[in-house]
Amino acid sequence: MDFNLSYRRYVIGGVAALIVVIYIVRLFTLQLLSDDYKKNADSNAFLKKIEYPSRGVISDRNGKLLVYNQPAYDIMVIMNEEAGRLDTMEFCQALGITKEFFIQRMADIKDRSKNPGYSRFTQQMFMSQLSDKEFSVFQEKMFRFPGFYVQKRSIRQYEYPYAAHVLGDVGEASPGDIEEDDYYQPGDYIGKLGVERSYEKQLRGQKGIQILLRDAHGRIKGRYQNGALDQKPIAGKDLTLSLDIELQELGERLLEGKIGSIVAIEPSTGEILCMVSSPSYDPRMMTGRQRGKAHKELSQNPWKPQLNRSIQGLYPPGSTFKTTQALTFLSEGIISPSTAFPCSRGFRYGNLRVGCHGHGSPLPLVPAISTSCNGYFCWGLYYMMGNRKKYAHVQDAMNTWRDYMVSMGFGYKLNVDLPGEKRGLIPNAQFYDKHYRNSWNGLTIISIAIGQGEVLATPLQIANLAATIANRGYFYTPHVVRKVKGEPLDTAYTHRHVTKASRRAYDYIVAGMRSAVEKGTCRSANRGDYAVCGKTGTAQNRGHDHSAFMGFAPMDNPKIAVAVYVENGGWGADYGVPLGALIMEKYINGHLSPASEARAAVFQKKRIYYGNIAR
């Protein structure tokens, strides 16, 4: 009996102790680990108002303002304060919205799948980017709407209707953006495309915060501690682009009604002078509350105007690629400048034939570049792939060839400072081993010698090739931002990339490209005031051939390298050469002559039919 009493005493004592421990743990959790009560108390006493910084402005290389800010106003709501105390109809009338919109918007704010950062104690975005007029109407009645506040913001404005793909746009941060970077809250804006995206952290600045004191009725009584704890916003950093907006305008004019790209680079720095992708769109469409509607229209457009073909378009480079072959064959000792190959209207070997236009034969290297002889470069590749004294097997020769192409900027991203760049395609031995089951040779892949077959490149890579030849063997990573205010330029854009080809080999390529302008396939680009070097490209296509051109000028002190690619434009001399020549003249001379301006107007009006539809 005594034992039972003693046992029950221990049980009762243990239960009491457990209850005390549970209470202590709960109090510890509520007071130290959970911030629910703190948030509630803070929300009653304080309003922490975010002050958004001014986003950095963007100018072109000559100081012309391209992107700036205009004031706008957001309607914010704190759900814990609103709590159903609202005259919904009066509120909707003040903002010019329907009751259905109000109900749906409030539901979306509370939906954590759409708004993962939701808290009833913090400000949530209800409606963004009100104009001055809309704001003034709402402001008069705002005191009647508990829980709703106005947040002053700014929206982007674009001075010119050009360079949409480079500039990009700003939109509301997605759940993914918020999850990736805790700087952002629901309703914040973030760069979506172009330099607005790639330089987001520099452009956005740092948020400030203003702590306001409230009374028991939620009315603002002033700044807490006279603003001693406030933090001022820090404005974003301004960007200076390498673009010349007047050159960009000319490029976009020339590609009206056509699908393609024009890219121009300053060889001595890698700075991109213009980057045109056609079709394009007016960047001013993507501002304010109309952005969502405009984005939907553009995304449904079958011509894909949002696609930046300069860095995302993958094309066979055609005969512009022959310069890389000549550099490789010379550097590897497969040919010498005096080596001549026959061309009987093309390359012939057994039943295999790669066609070519009529010209003198046999030809040494410089005239072969000048006339864009297919036969010459096919023979060069055939002898390289079959050279067993130099390469143990065809795979060894193929990978050596691949290494030259990669060193010249092909097959991988150039890492331009824009999002979405594609890498193109340069095949290697493993690629062909898999495709042909280890049974292939130089004849099997002969079309890559003339920039066809499996080879794919972006217009930016072709322009970079022109810049590399202009520099006689090296290039800087192409970039569109010339300067970030208060920051040095990233060393990635000041590092010189030297190719595998020999310096001497480049002299012969330059001579061939100069000859092409003086008496070959690029004669319409020839001028008396400065020496132009060029190379045409006519890339075979299932439909009408693509027209391509790359060149640079002046020959001995190059200021500009340019690539033009016009889908279904025919011969390289049809569109590529004349458009490239106009771009070079505009940049070097600062203007077009009256005759050139008239020629530009003619090309601006030309339309190319894609199927039965003209662009």
Side-chain angles (χ1 to χ4, degrees), residues 360-407:
S361 175
L363 291 174
L365 177 61
V366 169
I369 295 173
S370 177
T371 59
S372 196
C373 172
N374 284 344
Y376 190 96
F377 299 97
C378 288
W379 281 114
L381 185 75
Y382 170 75
Y383 283 117
M384 180 175 179
M385 293 298 122
N387 190 330
R388 292 298 162 265
K389 291 182 179 179
K390 191 172 184 65
Y391 313 106
H393 42 68
V394 68
Q395 286 85 356
D396 184 22
M398 185 67 212
N399 284 337
T400 299
W401 178 91
R402 183 274 318 273
D403 290 344
Y404 273 89
M405 300 307 106
V406 170
S407 78

CSV table of all heavy atoms in Angstrom, one decimal, residues 360-407:
chain,number,residue,atom,x,y,z
A,360,GLY,N,38.2,31.8,-113.3
A,360,GLY,CA,39.4,31.2,-113.7
A,360,GLY,C,39.9,30.0,-112.9
A,360,GLY,O,39.5,30.0,-111.7
A,361,SER,N,40.6,29.1,-113.4
A,361,SER,CA,41.0,27.9,-112.7
A,361,SER,C,42.3,27.4,-113.4
A,361,SER,O,42.5,27.5,-114.6
A,361,SER,CB,40.0,26.8,-112.7
A,361,SER,OG,40.4,25.6,-112.2
A,362,PRO,N,43.3,26.8,-112.6
A,362,PRO,CA,43.3,26.8,-111.1
A,362,PRO,C,43.6,28.1,-110.5
A,362,PRO,O,44.2,29.0,-111.1
A,362,PRO,CB,44.4,25.7,-110.8
A,362,PRO,CG,45.3,25.9,-112.0
A,362,PRO,CD,44.4,26.2,-113.2
A,363,LEU,N,43.3,28.2,-109.2
A,363,LEU,CA,43.5,29.5,-108.5
A,363,LEU,C,44.4,29.3,-107.2
A,363,LEU,O,44.3,28.3,-106.5
A,363,LEU,CB,42.2,30.0,-108.0
A,363,LEU,CG,41.2,30.6,-109.0
A,363,LEU,CD1,39.9,30.9,-108.3
A,363,LEU,CD2,41.8,31.8,-109.7
A,364,PRO,N,45.3,30.3,-106.9
A,364,PRO,CA,46.0,30.3,-105.6
A,364,PRO,C,45.0,30.9,-104.6
A,364,PRO,O,43.9,31.3,-104.9
A,364,PRO,CB,47.2,31.1,-105.9
A,364,PRO,CG,46.8,32.0,-107.0
A,364,PRO,CD,45.8,31.3,-107.8
A,365,LEU,N,45.5,31.1,-103.4
A,365,LEU,CA,44.7,31.4,-102.2
A,365,LEU,C,44.0,32.8,-102.4
A,365,LEU,O,42.8,32.9,-102.2
A,365,LEU,CB,45.5,31.4,-100.9
A,365,LEU,CG,44.8,31.8,-99.7
A,365,LEU,CD1,43.6,30.9,-99.4
A,365,LEU,CD2,45.7,31.9,-98.5
A,366,VAL,N,44.7,33.9,-102.6
A,366,VAL,CA,44.1,35.2,-102.6
A,366,VAL,C,43.0,35.3,-103.6
A,366,VAL,O,41.9,35.8,-103.3
A,366,VAL,CB,45.2,36.3,-102.7
A,366,VAL,CG1,44.5,37.7,-103.0
A,366,VAL,CG2,46.1,36.4,-101.5
A,367,PRO,N,43.2,34.9,-104.9
A,367,PRO,CA,42.1,35.0,-105.8
A,367,PRO,C,41.0,34.0,-105.4
A,367,PRO,O,39.8,34.3,-105.7
A,367,PRO,CB,42.7,34.5,-107.1
A,367,PRO,CG,44.2,34.8,-107.0
A,367,PRO,CD,44.5,34.6,-105.5
A,368,ALA,N,41.3,32.9,-104.7
A,368,ALA,CA,40.2,32.0,-104.3
A,368,ALA,C,39.3,32.7,-103.3
A,368,ALA,O,38.1,32.5,-103.3
A,368,ALA,CB,40.8,30.7,-103.7
A,369,ILE,N,39.9,33.5,-102.4
A,369,ILE,CA,39.0,34.2,-101.5
A,369,ILE,C,38.3,35.3,-102.2
A,369,ILE,O,37.1,35.5,-102.0
A,369,ILE,CB,39.9,34.9,-100.4
A,369,ILE,CG1,40.5,33.8,-99.5
A,369,ILE,CG2,39.1,35.8,-99.5
A,369,ILE,CD1,41.5,34.3,-98.5
A,370,SER,N,38.9,36.0,-103.1
A,370,SER,CA,38.3,37.1,-103.9
A,370,SER,C,37.1,36.6,-104.7
A,370,SER,O,36.1,37.3,-104.7
A,370,SER,CB,39.4,37.7,-104.8
A,370,SER,OG,38.8,38.7,-105.6
A,371,THR,N,37.2,35.5,-105.3
A,371,THR,CA,36.1,35.0,-106.1
A,371,THR,C,35.2,34.0,-105.4
A,371,THR,O,34.2,33.6,-105.9
A,371,THR,CB,36.7,34.2,-107.4
A,371,THR,OG1,37.5,33.1,-106.9
A,371,THR,CG2,37.5,35.1,-108.2
A,372,SER,N,35.5,33.8,-104.1
A,372,SER,CA,34.8,32.8,-103.3
A,372,SER,C,34.6,31.5,-103.9
A,372,SER,O,33.5,30.9,-104.1
A,372,SER,CB,33.4,33.4,-103.0
A,372,SER,OG,32.8,32.8,-101.9
A,373,CYS,N,35.7,30.9,-104.2
A,373,CYS,CA,35.8,29.6,-104.9
A,373,CYS,C,35.5,28.4,-104.0
A,373,CYS,O,36.2,28.2,-103.0
A,373,CYS,CB,37.2,29.4,-105.6
A,373,CYS,SG,37.4,27.7,-106.3
A,374,ASN,N,34.4,27.7,-104.2
A,374,ASN,CA,34.0,26.6,-103.4
A,374,ASN,C,35.1,25.4,-103.5
A,374,ASN,O,35.4,24.8,-102.6
A,374,ASN,CB,32.7,26.0,-103.8
A,374,ASN,CG,31.5,26.9,-103.3
A,374,ASN,OD1,31.7,27.7,-102.4
A,374,ASN,ND2,30.3,26.7,-103.8
A,375,GLY,N,35.5,25.2,-104.8
A,375,GLY,CA,36.4,24.1,-105.1
A,375,GLY,C,37.7,24.2,-104.3
A,375,GLY,O,38.2,23.2,-103.7
A,376,TYR,N,38.3,25.4,-104.2
A,376,TYR,CA,39.5,25.6,-103.5
A,376,TYR,C,39.5,25.1,-102.0
A,376,TYR,O,40.3,24.4,-101.6
A,376,TYR,CB,39.9,27.1,-103.5
A,376,TYR,CG,41.4,27.3,-103.0
A,376,TYR,CD1,42.4,27.4,-103.9
A,376,TYR,CD2,41.7,27.4,-101.7
A,376,TYR,CE1,43.7,27.6,-103.5
A,376,TYR,CE2,42.9,27.6,-101.2
A,376,TYR,CZ,44.0,27.7,-102.2
A,376,TYR,OH,45.3,27.9,-101.7
A,377,PHE,N,38.4,25.5,-101.3
A,377,PHE,CA,38.4,25.2,-99.9
A,377,PHE,C,37.9,23.8,-99.6
A,377,PHE,O,38.3,23.2,-98.6
A,377,PHE,CB,37.5,26.3,-99.2
A,377,PHE,CG,38.0,27.6,-99.3
A,377,PHE,CD1,37.6,28.5,-100.3
A,377,PHE,CD2,39.1,28.1,-98.5
A,377,PHE,CE1,38.1,29.8,-100.5
A,377,PHE,CE2,39.6,29.3,-98.7
A,377,PHE,CZ,39.2,30.2,-99.7
A,378,CYS,N,37.2,23.2,-100.5
A,378,CYS,CA,36.8,21.8,-100.4
A,378,CYS,C,38.1,20.9,-100.6
A,378,CYS,O,38.3,20.0,-99.8
A,378,CYS,CB,35.8,21.4,-101.5
A,378,CYS,SG,34.2,22.0,-101.2
A,379,TRP,N,39.0,21.3,-101.6
A,379,TRP,CA,40.2,20.6,-101.7
A,379,TRP,C,41.1,20.7,-100.5
A,379,TRP,O,41.8,19.8,-100.0
A,379,TRP,CB,41.0,21.0,-103.0
A,379,TRP,CG,40.5,20.5,-104.2
A,379,TRP,CD1,39.9,21.1,-105.3
A,379,TRP,CD2,40.5,19.1,-104.6
A,379,TRP,NE1,39.5,20.3,-106.3
A,379,TRP,CE2,39.9,19.0,-105.9
A,379,TRP,CE3,41.0,17.9,-104.0
A,379,TRP,CZ2,39.8,17.8,-106.6
A,379,TRP,CZ3,40.9,16.7,-104.7
A,379,TRP,CH2,40.3,16.7,-106.0
A,380,GLY,N,41.1,21.9,-99.9
A,380,GLY,CA,41.9,22.1,-98.7
A,380,GLY,C,41.5,21.2,-97.6
A,380,GLY,O,42.3,20.6,-96.9
A,381,LEU,N,40.2,21.2,-97.3
A,381,LEU,CA,39.7,20.3,-96.2
A,381,LEU,C,39.9,18.8,-96.5
A,381,LEU,O,40.3,18.1,-95.7
A,381,LEU,CB,38.2,20.5,-96.0
A,381,LEU,CG,37.6,19.8,-94.9
A,381,LEU,CD1,38.0,20.4,-93.5
A,381,LEU,CD2,36.1,19.6,-94.9
A,382,TYR,N,39.8,18.4,-97.8
A,382,TYR,CA,40.0,17.0,-98.2
A,382,TYR,C,41.5,16.6,-97.9
A,382,TYR,O,41.7,15.6,-97.3
A,382,TYR,CB,39.7,16.9,-99.7
A,382,TYR,CG,40.2,15.6,-100.3
A,382,TYR,CD1,39.5,14.4,-100.0
A,382,TYR,CD2,41.3,15.5,-101.0
A,382,TYR,CE1,39.9,13.2,-100.5
A,382,TYR,CE2,41.8,14.2,-101.5
A,382,TYR,CZ,41.0,13.1,-101.3
A,382,TYR,OH,41.5,11.9,-101.8
A,383,TYR,N,42.4,17.5,-98.2
A,383,TYR,CA,43.8,17.2,-98.0
A,383,TYR,C,44.2,17.2,-96.5
A,383,TYR,O,45.0,16.5,-96.0
A,383,TYR,CB,44.7,18.1,-98.8
A,383,TYR,CG,44.8,17.7,-100.2
A,383,TYR,CD1,44.4,18.6,-101.2
A,383,TYR,CD2,45.3,16.5,-100.6
A,383,TYR,CE1,44.4,18.3,-102.6
A,383,TYR,CE2,45.4,16.1,-102.0
A,383,TYR,CZ,44.9,17.0,-102.9
A,383,TYR,OH,45.0,16.7,-104.3
A,384,MET,N,43.5,18.1,-95.7
A,384,MET,CA,43.8,18.1,-94.3
A,384,MET,C,43.3,16.9,-93.6
A,384,MET,O,44.0,16.2,-92.8
A,384,MET,CB,43.1,19.4,-93.7
A,384,MET,CG,43.4,19.4,-92.2
A,384,MET,SD,42.7,21.0,-91.4
A,384,MET,CE,43.2,20.7,-89.7
A,385,MET,N,42.0,16.5,-93.9
A,385,MET,CA,41.5,15.3,-93.3
A,385,MET,C,42.2,14.0,-93.7
A,385,MET,O,42.2,13.0,-93.0
A,385,MET,CB,40.0,15.2,-93.7
A,385,MET,CG,39.1,16.3,-93.1
A,385,MET,SD,39.1,16.3,-91.3
A,385,MET,CE,39.6,18.0,-91.0
A,386,GLY,N,42.8,14.0,-94.9
A,386,GLY,CA,43.5,12.8,-95.4
A,386,GLY,C,45.0,12.8,-95.1
A,386,GLY,O,45.7,11.8,-95.6
A,387,ASN,N,45.5,13.8,-94.5
A,387,ASN,CA,47.0,13.9,-94.3
A,387,ASN,C,47.5,13.0,-93.1
A,387,ASN,O,47.4,13.3,-91.9
A,387,ASN,CB,47.4,15.3,-94.0
A,387,ASN,CG,48.9,15.6,-94.0
A,387,ASN,OD1,49.7,14.7,-93.7
A,387,ASN,ND2,49.3,16.8,-94.4
A,388,ARG,N,47.9,11.8,-93.5
A,388,ARG,CA,48.4,10.8,-92.4
A,388,ARG,C,49.8,11.0,-92.0
A,388,ARG,O,50.2,10.4,-91.0
A,388,ARG,CB,48.2,9.4,-92.9
A,388,ARG,CG,46.7,9.0,-93.1
A,388,ARG,CD,46.0,9.0,-91.8
A,388,ARG,NE,44.5,9.1,-92.0
A,388,ARG,CZ,43.8,10.1,-92.0
A,388,ARG,NH1,44.4,11.3,-91.8
A,388,ARG,NH2,42.5,10.1,-92.2
A,389,LYS,N,50.5,11.9,-92.6
A,389,LYS,CA,51.9,12.2,-92.2
A,389,LYS,C,51.8,13.2,-90.9
A,389,LYS,O,52.6,13.1,-90.1
A,389,LYS,CB,52.7,12.9,-93.3
A,389,LYS,CG,53.1,11.9,-94.4
A,389,LYS,CD,53.9,12.7,-95.4
A,389,LYS,CE,54.3,11.7,-96.6
A,389,LYS,NZ,55.1,12.4,-97.6
A,390,LYS,N,50.7,14.0,-90.9
A,390,LYS,CA,50.6,15.0,-89.9
A,390,LYS,C,49.6,14.5,-88.8
A,390,LYS,O,49.8,14.8,-87.6
A,390,LYS,CB,50.1,16.3,-90.5
A,390,LYS,CG,50.2,17.5,-89.5
A,390,LYS,CD,49.9,18.8,-90.3
A,390,LYS,CE,50.0,20.0,-89.3
A,390,LYS,NZ,51.4,20.2,-88.9
A,391,TYR,N,48.6,13.8,-89.2
A,391,TYR,CA,47.5,13.4,-88.3
A,391,TYR,C,47.4,11.8,-88.3
A,391,TYR,O,47.3,11.3,-89.4
A,391,TYR,CB,46.2,14.0,-88.6
A,391,TYR,CG,46.3,15.5,-88.9
A,391,TYR,CD1,46.2,16.0,-90.2
A,391,TYR,CD2,46.5,16.4,-87.8
A,391,TYR,CE1,46.2,17.3,-90.4
A,391,TYR,CE2,46.6,17.8,-88.1
A,391,TYR,CZ,46.5,18.2,-89.4
A,391,TYR,OH,46.6,19.6,-89.6
A,392,ALA,N,47.4,11.2,-87.2
A,392,ALA,CA,47.4,9.8,-87.1
A,392,ALA,C,46.1,9.2,-87.7
A,392,ALA,O,46.2,8.1,-88.3
A,392,ALA,CB,47.5,9.3,-85.6
A,393,HIS,N,45.0,9.9,-87.6
A,393,HIS,CA,43.8,9.4,-88.2
A,393,HIS,C,42.9,10.6,-88.4
A,393,HIS,O,43.2,11.7,-88.0
A,393,HIS,CB,43.1,8.4,-87.2
A,393,HIS,CG,43.2,8.7,-85.8
A,393,HIS,ND1,42.5,9.8,-85.3
A,393,HIS,CD2,43.8,8.2,-84.8
A,393,HIS,CE1,42.7,9.9,-84.0
A,393,HIS,NE2,43.6,8.9,-83.6
A,394,VAL,N,41.8,10.4,-89.1
A,394,VAL,CA,40.9,11.4,-89.5
A,394,VAL,C,40.3,12.1,-88.2
A,394,VAL,O,40.0,13.4,-88.2
A,394,VAL,CB,39.7,10.9,-90.4
A,394,VAL,CG1,38.8,10.0,-89.7
A,394,VAL,CG2,39.0,12.1,-91.0
A,395,GLN,N,40.1,11.4,-87.1
A,395,GLN,CA,39.6,12.0,-85.9
A,395,GLN,C,40.5,13.0,-85.4
A,395,GLN,O,40.1,14.1,-84.9
A,395,GLN,CB,39.3,10.9,-84.9
A,395,GLN,CG,38.0,10.1,-85.1
A,395,GLN,CD,38.3,8.9,-86.1
A,395,GLN,OE1,39.4,8.8,-86.6
A,395,GLN,NE2,37.3,8.1,-86.3
A,396,ASP,N,41.8,12.7,-85.4
A,396,ASP,CA,42.9,13.7,-85.0
A,396,ASP,C,42.8,14.9,-85.8
A,396,ASP,O,42.9,16.1,-85.3
A,396,ASP,CB,44.2,13.0,-85.1
A,396,ASP,CG,45.3,13.9,-84.5
A,396,ASP,OD1,45.0,14.7,-83.7
A,396,ASP,OD2,46.5,13.6,-84.9
A,397,ALA,N,42.7,14.8,-87.1
A,397,ALA,CA,42.6,16.0,-88.0
A,397,ALA,C,41.4,16.8,-87.7
A,397,ALA,O,41.4,18.0,-87.7
A,397,ALA,CB,42.7,15.5,-89.5
A,398,MET,N,40.3,16.1,-87.5
A,398,MET,CA,39.0,16.7,-87.3
A,398,MET,C,39.0,17.6,-86.0
A,398,MET,O,38.6,18.7,-85.9
A,398,MET,CB,37.9,15.7,-87.2
A,398,MET,CG,36.5,16.3,-87.1
A,398,MET,SD,36.0,17.2,-88.6
A,398,MET,CE,35.0,18.5,-87.9
A,399,ASN,N,39.6,17.0,-84.9
A,399,ASN,CA,39.6,17.7,-83.7
A,399,ASN,C,40.6,18.9,-83.7
A,399,ASN,O,40.4,19.9,-83.0
A,399,ASN,CB,39.9,16.8,-82.5
A,399,ASN,CG,38.7,15.9,-82.1
A,399,ASN,OD1,37.6,16.3,-82.4
A,399,ASN,ND2,39.0,14.8,-81.5
A,400,THR,N,41.7,18.8,-84.5
A,400,THR,CA,42.6,19.9,-84.7
A,400,THR,C,41.8,21.0,-85.4
A,400,THR,O,41.9,22.2,-85.0
A,400,THR,CB,43.8,19.5,-85.5
A,400,THR,OG1,44.5,18.5,-84.8
A,400,THR,CG2,44.7,20.6,-85.8
A,401,TRP,N,41.1,20.7,-86.5
A,401,TRP,CA,40.2,21.6,-87.2
A,401,TRP,C,39.3,22.3,-86.2
A,401,TRP,O,39.1,23.5,-86.2
A,401,TRP,CB,39.5,20.9,-88.3
A,401,TRP,CG,38.6,21.8,-89.1
A,401,TRP,CD1,38.8,22.4,-90.3
A,401,TRP,CD2,37.2,22.0,-88.9
A,401,TRP,NE1,37.7,23.1,-90.7
A,401,TRP,CE2,36.7,22.8,-89.9
A,401,TRP,CE3,36.3,21.6,-87.9
A,401,TRP,CZ2,35.4,23.3,-89.9
A,401,TRP,CZ3,35.0,22.1,-87.9
A,401,TRP,CH2,34.5,22.9,-88.9
A,402,ARG,N,38.6,21.5,-85.4
A,402,ARG,CA,37.6,22.0,-84.4
A,402,ARG,C,38.3,23.0,-83.5
A,402,ARG,O,37.7,24.1,-83.2
A,402,ARG,CB,37.0,20.9,-83.6
A,402,ARG,CG,35.9,21.2,-82.6
A,402,ARG,CD,36.5,21.6,-81.2
A,402,ARG,NE,37.6,20.8,-80.8
A,402,ARG,CZ,37.5,19.6,-80.1
A,402,ARG,NH1,36.3,19.2,-79.8
A,402,ARG,NH2,38.5,19.0,-79.7
A,403,ASP,N,39.5,22.7,-83.0
A,403,ASP,CA,40.2,23.6,-82.1
A,403,ASP,C,40.5,25.0,-82.7
A,403,ASP,O,40.4,26.0,-82.0
A,403,ASP,CB,41.5,23.0,-81.6
A,403,ASP,CG,41.3,21.8,-80.7
A,403,ASP,OD1,40.2,21.6,-80.2
A,403,ASP,OD2,42.3,21.0,-80.5
A,404,TYR,N,40.8,25.0,-84.0
A,404,TYR,CA,41.0,26.3,-84.7
A,404,TYR,C,39.7,27.1,-84.7
A,404,TYR,O,39.7,28.3,-84.4
A,404,TYR,CB,41.5,26.1,-86.1
A,404,TYR,CG,43.0,26.0,-86.2
A,404,TYR,CD1,43.6,24.7,-86.1
A,404,TYR,CD2,43.8,27.1,-86.5
A,404,TYR,CE1,45.0,24.6,-86.2
A,404,TYR,CE2,45.2,27.0,-86.6
A,404,TYR,CZ,45.8,25.7,-86.5
A,404,TYR,OH,47.1,25.6,-86.6
A,405,MET,N,38.6,26.4,-85.0
A,405,MET,CA,37.3,27.1,-85.1
A,405,MET,C,36.9,27.7,-83.8
A,405,MET,O,36.4,28.8,-83.6
A,405,MET,CB,36.2,26.2,-85.6
A,405,MET,CG,36.4,25.6,-87.0
A,405,MET,SD,36.8,26.8,-88.3
A,405,MET,CE,38.5,26.5,-88.5
A,406,VAL,N,37.1,26.9,-82.7
A,406,VAL,CA,36.8,27.4,-81.4
A,406,VAL,C,37.6,28.6,-81.0
A,406,VAL,O,37.1,29.6,-80.4
A,406,VAL,CB,36.9,26.2,-80.3
A,406,VAL,CG1,36.8,26.8,-78.9
A,406,VAL,CG2,35.9,25.1,-80.6
A,407,SER,N,38.9,28.5,-81.3
A,407,SER,CA,39.8,29.7,-81.0
A,407,SER,C,39.4,30.9,-81.7
A,407,SER,O,39.7,32.0,-81.2
A,407,SER,CB,41.2,29.3,-81.3
A,407,SER,OG,41.5,29.4,-82.7
